[in-house]
Amino acid sequence: MVEETAGLASRMTRRLRKKEWTISTAESCTGGLLASLITDISGASQWFSQGWIVYSNEAKMRELGVEKSAFDEGEAGAVSHEVAVQMARGARYQSSSDVSIAITGIAGPGGSTADKEVGRVHVAVIAQDYFLVRRMDFGDNDRLDNKRSFAVFALRLALETLDRFDSVGIMDSYFPNANFFIEPEIFDRHLEKLKYVKDIELDYVSICTPNYLHAKMAIDSLQNKPQNYHHL
């Protein structure tokens, strides 16, 4: 796994250098492992902007602006698409980086719940105005093994995000089991493209809206899709 991980990190940094982009990380369960893998490569100051280790819910809210409601009883909880999204968004905008990666999960051996087992991780990647989030379950393995698996998964998702960004741009293709995340400043520009989302199977659609009117327009466009709105 060590060679695989180093290779993935190297591939990602080459892509960043080619674009002259920077990256930031927001990690919970991996405790800085992802940032370490990226900065193990010489010259990391050219592409690595900043990293956060936000273990507690309070730290996620204070450092990255994750909404308190995300942790309320009956809501998504700390290990969820919603929190991963908000972590990535906070990291990207606070660091002014082009790409951000967020990881939240349960490395074990404790921390599982009735509906969230050890080995579950949610990773979100934002590349400029393109967004991808995915969940993976690695099972009840050794804590360190799970942390390494989570970091590898995050690198793979980051590479996939860059591939999709380069090949199709935002919201122009099929993305199974993922979110679309629309920033306020590009909402109007991409509103017409929401019609493509109607025929796509998604876990949920995340629309970041600056006002009620935008939310209403999105609801009208997406009618029968499961949605998760973040009002700014």
Short mmCIF file of all heavy atoms in Angstrom, two decimals, residues 166-230:
data_model
loop_
_atom_site.label_atom_id
_atom_site.label_comp_id
_atom_site.label_asym_id
_atom_site.label_seq_id
_atom_site.Cartn_x
_atom_site.Cartn_y
_atom_site.Cartn_z
N ASP A 166 -11.55 18.08 -16.07
CA ASP A 166 -10.87 18.31 -17.35
C ASP A 166 -11.69 17.86 -18.54
O ASP A 166 -11.66 18.48 -19.61
CB ASP A 166 -9.53 17.58 -17.37
CG ASP A 166 -8.50 18.21 -16.45
OD1 ASP A 166 -8.70 19.38 -16.06
OD2 ASP A 166 -7.51 17.53 -16.13
N SER A 167 -12.44 16.77 -18.37
CA SER A 167 -13.09 16.17 -19.54
C SER A 167 -14.47 16.72 -19.84
O SER A 167 -14.86 16.82 -21.00
CB SER A 167 -13.19 14.65 -19.36
OG SER A 167 -14.00 14.34 -18.24
N VAL A 168 -15.23 17.09 -18.81
CA VAL A 168 -16.61 17.49 -19.08
C VAL A 168 -17.02 18.80 -18.44
O VAL A 168 -18.03 19.38 -18.82
CB VAL A 168 -17.60 16.39 -18.64
CG1 VAL A 168 -17.39 15.14 -19.44
CG2 VAL A 168 -17.49 16.11 -17.15
N GLY A 169 -16.32 19.28 -17.46
CA GLY A 169 -16.76 20.49 -16.77
C GLY A 169 -17.92 20.19 -15.86
O GLY A 169 -18.42 19.07 -15.79
N ILE A 170 -18.42 21.20 -15.19
CA ILE A 170 -19.43 21.01 -14.18
C ILE A 170 -20.78 20.62 -14.76
O ILE A 170 -21.25 21.19 -15.74
CB ILE A 170 -19.58 22.28 -13.31
CG1 ILE A 170 -20.46 22.01 -12.09
CG2 ILE A 170 -20.13 23.44 -14.11
CD1 ILE A 170 -20.46 23.11 -11.09
N MET A 171 -21.38 19.54 -14.24
CA MET A 171 -22.76 19.15 -14.47
C MET A 171 -23.08 18.80 -15.90
O MET A 171 -24.22 18.91 -16.33
CB MET A 171 -23.71 20.27 -13.99
CG MET A 171 -23.62 20.51 -12.51
SD MET A 171 -24.67 21.81 -11.95
CE MET A 171 -26.26 21.07 -12.17
N ASP A 172 -22.09 18.33 -16.69
CA ASP A 172 -22.37 18.00 -18.07
C ASP A 172 -22.32 16.50 -18.34
O ASP A 172 -22.30 16.09 -19.49
CB ASP A 172 -21.36 18.70 -19.00
CG ASP A 172 -21.68 20.17 -19.16
OD1 ASP A 172 -22.85 20.52 -19.00
OD2 ASP A 172 -20.76 20.95 -19.44
N SER A 173 -22.27 15.68 -17.30
CA SER A 173 -22.17 14.26 -17.55
C SER A 173 -22.81 13.49 -16.40
O SER A 173 -23.47 14.06 -15.54
CB SER A 173 -20.69 13.87 -17.72
OG SER A 173 -20.59 12.54 -18.17
N TYR A 174 -22.57 12.19 -16.37
CA TYR A 174 -23.22 11.29 -15.43
C TYR A 174 -22.28 10.97 -14.28
O TYR A 174 -21.16 10.52 -14.49
CB TYR A 174 -23.58 10.00 -16.16
CG TYR A 174 -24.12 8.92 -15.26
CD1 TYR A 174 -25.40 9.02 -14.74
CD2 TYR A 174 -23.35 7.80 -14.96
CE1 TYR A 174 -25.90 8.02 -13.93
CE2 TYR A 174 -23.84 6.80 -14.15
CZ TYR A 174 -25.12 6.92 -13.64
OH TYR A 174 -25.60 5.93 -12.83
N PHE A 175 -22.71 11.24 -13.05
CA PHE A 175 -21.87 11.04 -11.88
C PHE A 175 -22.64 10.20 -10.87
O PHE A 175 -23.43 10.73 -10.09
CB PHE A 175 -21.47 12.37 -11.25
CG PHE A 175 -20.80 13.29 -12.21
CD1 PHE A 175 -21.52 14.28 -12.85
CD2 PHE A 175 -19.46 13.15 -12.49
CE1 PHE A 175 -20.90 15.13 -13.75
CE2 PHE A 175 -18.84 14.00 -13.39
CZ PHE A 175 -19.56 14.98 -14.02
N PRO A 176 -22.47 8.86 -10.85
CA PRO A 176 -23.26 8.01 -9.96
C PRO A 176 -22.94 8.25 -8.50
O PRO A 176 -21.79 8.42 -8.11
CB PRO A 176 -22.86 6.59 -10.39
CG PRO A 176 -21.51 6.75 -11.00
CD PRO A 176 -21.51 8.10 -11.65
N ASN A 177 -24.00 8.27 -7.67
CA ASN A 177 -23.86 8.33 -6.21
C ASN A 177 -23.02 9.50 -5.74
O ASN A 177 -22.17 9.37 -4.88
CB ASN A 177 -23.25 7.02 -5.69
CG ASN A 177 -24.09 5.84 -6.10
OD1 ASN A 177 -25.31 5.88 -6.00
ND2 ASN A 177 -23.44 4.79 -6.57
N ALA A 178 -23.23 10.66 -6.32
CA ALA A 178 -22.45 11.83 -5.94
C ALA A 178 -23.37 13.03 -5.81
O ALA A 178 -24.54 12.98 -6.15
CB ALA A 178 -21.36 12.12 -6.97
N ASN A 179 -22.82 14.13 -5.31
CA ASN A 179 -23.56 15.38 -5.21
C ASN A 179 -23.17 16.33 -6.32
O ASN A 179 -22.09 16.24 -6.87
CB ASN A 179 -23.22 16.11 -3.90
CG ASN A 179 -23.81 15.43 -2.72
OD1 ASN A 179 -24.61 14.54 -2.85
ND2 ASN A 179 -23.40 15.83 -1.55
N PHE A 180 -24.04 17.28 -6.58
CA PHE A 180 -23.64 18.48 -7.30
C PHE A 180 -23.69 19.62 -6.30
O PHE A 180 -24.66 19.77 -5.57
CB PHE A 180 -24.58 18.76 -8.47
CG PHE A 180 -24.36 17.85 -9.62
CD1 PHE A 180 -25.25 16.85 -9.93
CD2 PHE A 180 -23.21 17.98 -10.39
CE1 PHE A 180 -25.04 16.01 -10.99
CE2 PHE A 180 -22.98 17.14 -11.45
CZ PHE A 180 -23.89 16.15 -11.76
N PHE A 181 -22.68 20.45 -6.31
CA PHE A 181 -22.56 21.53 -5.34
C PHE A 181 -22.44 22.83 -6.13
O PHE A 181 -21.49 23.01 -6.88
CB PHE A 181 -21.32 21.31 -4.49
CG PHE A 181 -21.11 22.34 -3.42
CD1 PHE A 181 -21.84 22.28 -2.25
CD2 PHE A 181 -20.17 23.35 -3.57
CE1 PHE A 181 -21.63 23.21 -1.24
CE2 PHE A 181 -19.96 24.27 -2.56
CZ PHE A 181 -20.68 24.20 -1.41
N ILE A 182 -23.41 23.70 -6.03
CA ILE A 182 -23.42 24.91 -6.84
C ILE A 182 -23.13 26.11 -5.97
O ILE A 182 -23.89 26.44 -5.06
CB ILE A 182 -24.79 25.08 -7.53
CG1 ILE A 182 -25.12 23.81 -8.34
CG2 ILE A 182 -24.78 26.30 -8.43
CD1 ILE A 182 -26.45 23.88 -9.01
N GLU A 183 -22.03 26.78 -6.22
CA GLU A 183 -21.65 27.95 -5.45
C GLU A 183 -22.55 29.14 -5.80
O GLU A 183 -23.04 29.24 -6.93
CB GLU A 183 -20.20 28.32 -5.74
CG GLU A 183 -19.20 27.26 -5.32
CD GLU A 183 -19.07 27.17 -3.82
OE1 GLU A 183 -19.71 27.96 -3.11
OE2 GLU A 183 -18.34 26.30 -3.35
N PRO A 184 -22.77 30.05 -4.86
CA PRO A 184 -23.65 31.19 -5.12
C PRO A 184 -23.25 31.99 -6.35
O PRO A 184 -24.09 32.39 -7.15
CB PRO A 184 -23.52 32.03 -3.84
CG PRO A 184 -23.10 31.07 -2.80
CD PRO A 184 -22.25 30.05 -3.49
N GLU A 185 -21.94 32.22 -6.52
CA GLU A 185 -21.49 33.10 -7.60
C GLU A 185 -21.68 32.48 -8.99
O GLU A 185 -21.61 33.18 -9.99
CB GLU A 185 -20.02 33.50 -7.40
CG GLU A 185 -19.03 32.34 -7.40
CD GLU A 185 -18.79 31.80 -6.01
OE1 GLU A 185 -19.66 32.02 -5.15
OE2 GLU A 185 -17.74 31.19 -5.80
N ILE A 186 -21.90 31.16 -9.06
CA ILE A 186 -22.10 30.54 -10.37
C ILE A 186 -23.50 29.96 -10.50
O ILE A 186 -23.80 29.30 -11.48
CB ILE A 186 -21.07 29.43 -10.64
CG1 ILE A 186 -21.27 28.27 -9.66
CG2 ILE A 186 -19.66 29.97 -10.60
CD1 ILE A 186 -20.53 27.03 -10.06
N PHE A 187 -24.35 30.23 -9.51
CA PHE A 187 -25.69 29.62 -9.52
C PHE A 187 -26.47 30.00 -10.77
O PHE A 187 -26.99 29.14 -11.48
CB PHE A 187 -26.46 30.06 -8.27
CG PHE A 187 -27.77 29.32 -8.10
CD1 PHE A 187 -27.81 28.17 -7.33
CD2 PHE A 187 -28.92 29.76 -8.72
CE1 PHE A 187 -29.00 27.47 -7.18
CE2 PHE A 187 -30.11 29.07 -8.57
CZ PHE A 187 -30.15 27.93 -7.80
N ASP A 188 -26.54 31.30 -11.07
CA ASP A 188 -27.32 31.75 -12.22
C ASP A 188 -26.75 31.17 -13.52
O ASP A 188 -27.49 30.76 -14.40
CB ASP A 188 -27.32 33.28 -12.29
CG ASP A 188 -28.14 33.89 -11.18
OD1 ASP A 188 -29.16 33.31 -10.81
OD2 ASP A 188 -27.74 34.95 -10.67
N ARG A 189 -25.42 31.12 -13.59
CA ARG A 189 -24.77 30.65 -14.81
C ARG A 189 -25.09 29.20 -15.11
O ARG A 189 -25.15 28.78 -16.26
CB ARG A 189 -23.25 30.85 -14.66
CG ARG A 189 -22.45 30.41 -15.86
CD ARG A 189 -21.12 31.15 -15.90
NE ARG A 189 -20.37 31.05 -14.66
CZ ARG A 189 -19.44 30.13 -14.43
NH1 ARG A 189 -19.21 29.21 -15.34
NH2 ARG A 189 -18.77 30.12 -13.30
N HIS A 190 -25.31 28.39 -14.06
CA HIS A 190 -25.53 26.97 -14.26
C HIS A 190 -26.98 26.52 -14.00
O HIS A 190 -27.27 25.34 -14.04
CB HIS A 190 -24.58 26.16 -13.37
CG HIS A 190 -23.17 26.26 -13.80
ND1 HIS A 190 -22.72 25.76 -14.99
CD2 HIS A 190 -22.10 26.83 -13.20
CE1 HIS A 190 -21.42 25.99 -15.12
NE2 HIS A 190 -21.04 26.64 -14.05
N LEU A 191 -27.86 27.48 -13.76
CA LEU A 191 -29.23 27.11 -13.43
C LEU A 191 -29.87 26.29 -14.55
O LEU A 191 -30.56 25.30 -14.31
CB LEU A 191 -30.07 28.36 -13.16
CG LEU A 191 -31.52 28.09 -12.74
CD1 LEU A 191 -31.56 27.31 -11.44
CD2 LEU A 191 -32.27 29.40 -12.60
N GLU A 192 -29.63 26.68 -15.80
CA GLU A 192 -30.23 25.97 -16.93
C GLU A 192 -29.73 24.53 -17.00
O GLU A 192 -30.43 23.64 -17.47
CB GLU A 192 -29.92 26.69 -18.24
CG GLU A 192 -30.65 28.00 -18.41
CD GLU A 192 -32.16 27.80 -18.34
OE1 GLU A 192 -32.67 26.87 -18.99
OE2 GLU A 192 -32.83 28.57 -17.62
N LYS A 193 -28.51 24.28 -16.52
CA LYS A 193 -27.96 22.94 -16.60
C LYS A 193 -28.55 21.99 -15.57
O LYS A 193 -28.30 20.80 -15.60
CB LYS A 193 -26.43 22.98 -16.44
CG LYS A 193 -25.74 23.68 -17.60
CD LYS A 193 -24.23 23.56 -17.50
CE LYS A 193 -23.55 24.24 -18.68
NZ LYS A 193 -22.09 24.08 -18.62
N LEU A 194 -29.35 22.53 -14.66
CA LEU A 194 -29.97 21.67 -13.65
C LEU A 194 -30.88 20.62 -14.28
O LEU A 194 -31.14 19.59 -13.68
CB LEU A 194 -30.78 22.51 -12.65
CG LEU A 194 -29.97 23.30 -11.63
CD1 LEU A 194 -30.88 24.22 -10.86
CD2 LEU A 194 -29.22 22.39 -10.70
N LYS A 195 -31.34 20.88 -15.50
CA LYS A 195 -32.22 19.90 -16.15
C LYS A 195 -31.50 18.57 -16.35
O LYS A 195 -32.13 17.51 -16.37
CB LYS A 195 -32.71 20.43 -17.49
CG LYS A 195 -31.63 20.71 -18.52
CD LYS A 195 -32.27 21.22 -19.81
CE LYS A 195 -31.22 21.54 -20.88
NZ LYS A 195 -30.41 22.70 -20.52
N TYR A 196 -30.17 18.59 -16.45
CA TYR A 196 -29.43 17.35 -16.62
C TYR A 196 -29.49 16.49 -15.36
O TYR A 196 -29.39 15.28 -15.42
CB TYR A 196 -27.97 17.64 -16.96
CG TYR A 196 -27.78 18.30 -18.30
CD1 TYR A 196 -27.31 19.60 -18.40
CD2 TYR A 196 -28.08 17.62 -19.49
CE1 TYR A 196 -27.14 20.21 -19.63
CE2 TYR A 196 -27.92 18.22 -20.72
CZ TYR A 196 -27.44 19.51 -20.79
OH TYR A 196 -27.28 20.10 -22.00
N VAL A 197 -29.62 17.13 -14.21
CA VAL A 197 -29.61 16.41 -12.95
C VAL A 197 -30.84 15.52 -12.80
O VAL A 197 -30.80 14.49 -12.13
CB VAL A 197 -29.51 17.40 -11.77
CG1 VAL A 197 -29.50 16.67 -10.43
CG2 VAL A 197 -28.27 18.26 -11.91
N LYS A 198 -31.93 15.88 -13.44
CA LYS A 198 -33.19 15.14 -13.29
C LYS A 198 -33.05 13.67 -13.66
O LYS A 198 -33.73 12.82 -13.11
CB LYS A 198 -34.28 15.79 -14.13
CG LYS A 198 -34.71 17.16 -13.63
CD LYS A 198 -35.83 17.71 -14.51
CE LYS A 198 -36.29 19.07 -14.02
NZ LYS A 198 -37.37 19.62 -14.84
N ASP A 199 -32.18 13.37 -14.59
CA ASP A 199 -32.05 12.00 -15.08
C ASP A 199 -30.85 11.28 -14.49
O ASP A 199 -30.44 10.23 -14.98
CB ASP A 199 -31.93 12.00 -16.61
CG ASP A 199 -33.16 12.60 -17.26
OD1 ASP A 199 -34.27 12.33 -16.77
OD2 ASP A 199 -32.99 13.35 -18.24
N ILE A 200 -30.28 11.80 -13.43
CA ILE A 200 -29.09 11.22 -12.82
C ILE A 200 -29.43 10.65 -11.45
O ILE A 200 -30.16 11.27 -10.68
CB ILE A 200 -27.97 12.28 -12.68
CG1 ILE A 200 -27.57 12.79 -14.07
CG2 ILE A 200 -26.76 11.70 -11.96
CD1 ILE A 200 -26.60 13.94 -14.02
N GLU A 201 -28.92 9.47 -11.14
CA GLU A 201 -29.15 8.85 -9.84
C GLU A 201 -28.15 9.41 -8.84
O GLU A 201 -26.95 9.20 -8.97
CB GLU A 201 -29.00 7.34 -9.93
CG GLU A 201 -30.07 6.68 -10.80
CD GLU A 201 -29.91 5.18 -10.84
OE1 GLU A 201 -29.00 4.68 -10.16
OE2 GLU A 201 -30.69 4.53 -11.55
N LEU A 202 -28.65 10.12 -7.85
CA LEU A 202 -27.78 10.76 -6.86
C LEU A 202 -28.18 10.34 -5.45
O LEU A 202 -29.34 10.02 -5.20
CB LEU A 202 -27.88 12.29 -6.95
CG LEU A 202 -27.57 12.93 -8.31
CD1 LEU A 202 -27.84 14.42 -8.23
CD2 LEU A 202 -26.12 12.68 -8.67
N ASP A 203 -27.21 10.34 -4.53
CA ASP A 203 -27.55 10.18 -3.12
C ASP A 203 -28.41 11.36 -2.68
O ASP A 203 -29.42 11.21 -2.03
CB ASP A 203 -26.29 10.11 -2.26
CG ASP A 203 -25.60 8.77 -2.40
OD1 ASP A 203 -26.22 7.85 -2.94
OD2 ASP A 203 -24.44 8.66 -1.98
N TYR A 204 -27.96 12.55 -3.00
CA TYR A 204 -28.77 13.75 -2.86
C TYR A 204 -28.08 14.87 -3.62
O TYR A 204 -26.93 14.77 -4.01
CB TYR A 204 -28.99 14.16 -1.39
CG TYR A 204 -27.77 14.44 -0.58
CD1 TYR A 204 -27.10 15.65 -0.68
CD2 TYR A 204 -27.28 13.50 0.31
CE1 TYR A 204 -25.98 15.91 0.08
CE2 TYR A 204 -26.16 13.76 1.09
CZ TYR A 204 -25.52 14.97 0.97
OH TYR A 204 -24.41 15.23 1.73
N VAL A 205 -28.81 15.92 -3.88
CA VAL A 205 -28.26 17.07 -4.58
C VAL A 205 -28.04 18.18 -3.56
O VAL A 205 -28.95 18.52 -2.82
CB VAL A 205 -29.22 17.55 -5.69
CG1 VAL A 205 -28.65 18.76 -6.39
CG2 VAL A 205 -29.46 16.42 -6.68
N SER A 206 -26.86 18.71 -3.50
CA SER A 206 -26.54 19.77 -2.56
C SER A 206 -26.46 21.10 -3.31
O SER A 206 -25.61 21.28 -4.16
CB SER A 206 -25.21 19.48 -1.87
OG SER A 206 -24.94 20.46 -0.90
N ILE A 207 -27.39 21.99 -3.02
CA ILE A 207 -27.42 23.29 -3.68
C ILE A 207 -27.10 24.37 -2.65
O ILE A 207 -27.77 24.49 -1.63
CB ILE A 207 -28.82 23.58 -4.28
CG1 ILE A 207 -29.24 22.45 -5.24
CG2 ILE A 207 -28.81 24.92 -5.01
CD1 ILE A 207 -28.38 22.32 -6.44
N CYS A 208 -26.06 25.12 -2.89
CA CYS A 208 -25.65 26.19 -1.98
C CYS A 208 -26.26 27.49 -2.48
O CYS A 208 -25.87 28.00 -3.53
CB CYS A 208 -24.13 26.28 -1.95
SG CYS A 208 -23.50 27.28 -0.61
N THR A 209 -27.27 28.00 -1.81
CA THR A 209 -28.03 29.12 -2.34
C THR A 209 -27.91 30.37 -1.46
O THR A 209 -27.95 30.28 -0.23
CB THR A 209 -29.53 28.76 -2.45
OG1 THR A 209 -30.03 28.49 -1.15
CG2 THR A 209 -29.73 27.55 -3.33
N PRO A 210 -27.76 31.54 -2.06
CA PRO A 210 -27.63 32.77 -1.28
C PRO A 210 -28.96 33.37 -0.84
O PRO A 210 -28.98 34.25 0.00
CB PRO A 210 -26.92 33.71 -2.26
CG PRO A 210 -27.34 33.24 -3.61
CD PRO A 210 -27.51 31.75 -3.49
N ASN A 211 -30.07 32.92 -1.41
CA ASN A 211 -31.34 33.51 -1.00
C ASN A 211 -32.50 32.56 -1.32
O ASN A 211 -32.33 31.55 -1.98
CB ASN A 211 -31.57 34.87 -1.69
CG ASN A 211 -31.49 34.77 -3.20
OD1 ASN A 211 -32.07 33.87 -3.78
ND2 ASN A 211 -30.76 35.69 -3.82
N TYR A 212 -33.66 32.92 -0.82
CA TYR A 212 -34.84 32.06 -0.98
C TYR A 212 -35.21 31.87 -2.44
O TYR A 212 -35.61 30.79 -2.86
CB TYR A 212 -36.03 32.64 -0.22
CG TYR A 212 -37.31 31.89 -0.48
CD1 TYR A 212 -37.56 30.67 0.15
CD2 TYR A 212 -38.24 32.37 -1.39
CE1 TYR A 212 -38.72 29.95 -0.12
CE2 TYR A 212 -39.41 31.66 -1.66
CZ TYR A 212 -39.63 30.46 -1.01
OH TYR A 212 -40.78 29.77 -1.27
N LEU A 213 -35.08 32.92 -3.24
CA LEU A 213 -35.46 32.83 -4.65
C LEU A 213 -34.66 31.75 -5.36
O LEU A 213 -35.20 30.95 -6.12
CB LEU A 213 -35.26 34.18 -5.34
CG LEU A 213 -35.56 34.20 -6.85
CD1 LEU A 213 -37.01 33.82 -7.11
CD2 LEU A 213 -35.27 35.58 -7.42
N HIS A 214 -33.36 31.72 -5.12
CA HIS A 214 -32.53 30.69 -5.73
C HIS A 214 -32.96 29.30 -5.28
O HIS A 214 -33.00 28.36 -6.07
CB HIS A 214 -31.06 30.92 -5.39
CG HIS A 214 -30.41 31.96 -6.24
ND1 HIS A 214 -29.11 32.34 -6.06
CD2 HIS A 214 -30.88 32.69 -7.28
CE1 HIS A 214 -28.80 33.26 -6.95
NE2 HIS A 214 -29.85 33.50 -7.69
N ALA A 215 -33.26 29.17 -4.00
CA ALA A 215 -33.70 27.87 -3.49
C ALA A 215 -35.00 27.44 -4.17
O ALA A 215 -35.16 26.28 -4.56
CB ALA A 215 -33.91 27.94 -1.97
N LYS A 216 -35.95 28.38 -4.32
CA LYS A 216 -37.21 28.07 -4.97
C LYS A 216 -36.99 27.65 -6.43
O LYS A 216 -37.60 26.70 -6.93
CB LYS A 216 -38.13 29.30 -4.91
CG LYS A 216 -39.49 29.11 -5.60
CD LYS A 216 -40.33 28.08 -4.87
CE LYS A 216 -41.79 28.14 -5.31
NZ LYS A 216 -41.96 27.89 -6.76
N MET A 217 -36.10 28.34 -7.13
CA MET A 217 -35.82 28.01 -8.53
C MET A 217 -35.20 26.61 -8.63
O MET A 217 -35.52 25.84 -9.53
CB MET A 217 -34.87 29.04 -9.12
CG MET A 217 -35.48 30.43 -9.26
SD MET A 217 -34.25 31.71 -9.59
CE MET A 217 -33.85 31.34 -11.28
N ALA A 218 -34.33 26.28 -7.68
CA ALA A 218 -33.71 24.96 -7.70
C ALA A 218 -34.73 23.87 -7.41
O ALA A 218 -34.75 22.83 -8.05
CB ALA A 218 -32.57 24.90 -6.67
N ILE A 219 -35.61 24.14 -6.43
CA ILE A 219 -36.65 23.16 -6.09
C ILE A 219 -37.55 22.91 -7.29
O ILE A 219 -37.89 21.78 -7.62
CB ILE A 219 -37.48 23.66 -4.89
CG1 ILE A 219 -36.63 23.64 -3.62
CG2 ILE A 219 -38.72 22.81 -4.70
CD1 ILE A 219 -37.26 24.33 -2.45
N ASP A 220 -37.93 23.98 -7.99
CA ASP A 220 -38.78 23.84 -9.16
C ASP A 220 -38.09 23.03 -10.25
O ASP A 220 -38.72 22.26 -10.97
CB ASP A 220 -39.17 25.22 -9.71
CG ASP A 220 -40.12 25.96 -8.79
OD1 ASP A 220 -40.72 25.30 -7.92
OD2 ASP A 220 -40.25 27.18 -8.94
N SER A 221 -36.76 23.20 -10.37
CA SER A 221 -36.02 22.52 -11.42
C SER A 221 -35.80 21.05 -11.10
O SER A 221 -35.74 20.21 -11.99
CB SER A 221 -34.66 23.20 -11.63
OG SER A 221 -34.84 24.51 -12.09
N LEU A 222 -35.69 20.73 -9.80
CA LEU A 222 -35.31 19.37 -9.41
C LEU A 222 -36.47 18.58 -8.81
O LEU A 222 -36.29 17.45 -8.40
CB LEU A 222 -34.16 19.44 -8.39
CG LEU A 222 -32.87 20.04 -8.94
CD1 LEU A 222 -31.85 20.21 -7.81
CD2 LEU A 222 -32.28 19.19 -10.02
N GLN A 223 -37.62 19.17 -8.74
CA GLN A 223 -38.85 18.60 -8.20
C GLN A 223 -38.73 17.29 -7.42
O GLN A 223 -38.75 17.30 -6.21
CB GLN A 223 -39.85 18.43 -9.35
CG GLN A 223 -40.34 19.77 -9.86
CD GLN A 223 -41.37 19.64 -10.94
OE1 GLN A 223 -41.80 18.54 -11.26
NE2 GLN A 223 -41.78 20.75 -11.51
N ASN A 224 -38.58 16.16 -8.08
CA ASN A 224 -38.67 14.88 -7.39
C ASN A 224 -37.34 14.30 -6.93
O ASN A 224 -37.27 13.14 -6.54
CB ASN A 224 -39.37 13.86 -8.31
CG ASN A 224 -40.79 14.28 -8.64
OD1 ASN A 224 -41.49 14.80 -7.78
ND2 ASN A 224 -41.19 14.07 -9.88
N LYS A 225 -36.28 15.09 -6.98
CA LYS A 225 -34.98 14.59 -6.53
C LYS A 225 -34.79 14.84 -5.03
O LYS A 225 -35.24 15.86 -4.50
CB LYS A 225 -33.85 15.30 -7.29
CG LYS A 225 -33.64 14.76 -8.69
CD LYS A 225 -33.04 13.37 -8.63
CE LYS A 225 -32.90 12.78 -10.02
NZ LYS A 225 -32.43 11.39 -9.97
N PRO A 226 -34.14 13.90 -4.32
CA PRO A 226 -33.78 14.17 -2.92
C PRO A 226 -32.78 15.32 -2.89
O PRO A 226 -31.85 15.36 -3.68
CB PRO A 226 -33.13 12.87 -2.46
CG PRO A 226 -32.67 12.20 -3.71
CD PRO A 226 -33.64 12.61 -4.78
N GLN A 227 -33.00 16.25 -1.99
CA GLN A 227 -32.17 17.46 -1.99
C GLN A 227 -31.67 17.81 -0.60
O GLN A 227 -32.25 17.46 0.40
CB GLN A 227 -32.96 18.65 -2.56
CG GLN A 227 -33.36 18.50 -4.02
CD GLN A 227 -34.78 18.96 -4.27
OE1 GLN A 227 -35.36 19.63 -3.44
NE2 GLN A 227 -35.32 18.59 -5.39
N ASN A 228 -30.58 18.53 -0.59
CA ASN A 228 -30.03 19.03 0.66
C ASN A 228 -29.57 20.46 0.40
O ASN A 228 -28.60 20.69 -0.30
CB ASN A 228 -28.84 18.17 1.10
CG ASN A 228 -28.25 18.67 2.39
OD1 ASN A 228 -28.97 18.95 3.33
ND2 ASN A 228 -26.95 18.78 2.45
N TYR A 229 -30.30 21.44 0.95
CA TYR A 229 -29.99 22.83 0.65
C TYR A 229 -29.22 23.46 1.79
O TYR A 229 -29.54 23.32 2.95
CB TYR A 229 -31.29 23.61 0.42
CG TYR A 229 -32.00 23.19 -0.83
CD1 TYR A 229 -33.04 22.27 -0.77
CD2 TYR A 229 -31.60 23.67 -2.07
CE1 TYR A 229 -33.67 21.86 -1.92
CE2 TYR A 229 -32.22 23.23 -3.23
CZ TYR A 229 -33.26 22.34 -3.14
OH TYR A 229 -33.88 21.92 -4.28
N HIS A 230 -28.19 24.22 1.41
CA HIS A 230 -27.43 25.01 2.38
C HIS A 230 -27.71 26.47 2.10
O HIS A 230 -27.32 26.98 1.05
CB HIS A 230 -25.94 24.72 2.27
CG HIS A 230 -25.58 23.29 2.49
ND1 HIS A 230 -25.77 22.66 3.70
CD2 HIS A 230 -25.07 22.35 1.66
CE1 HIS A 230 -25.37 21.41 3.60
NE2 HIS A 230 -24.97 21.20 2.38
#
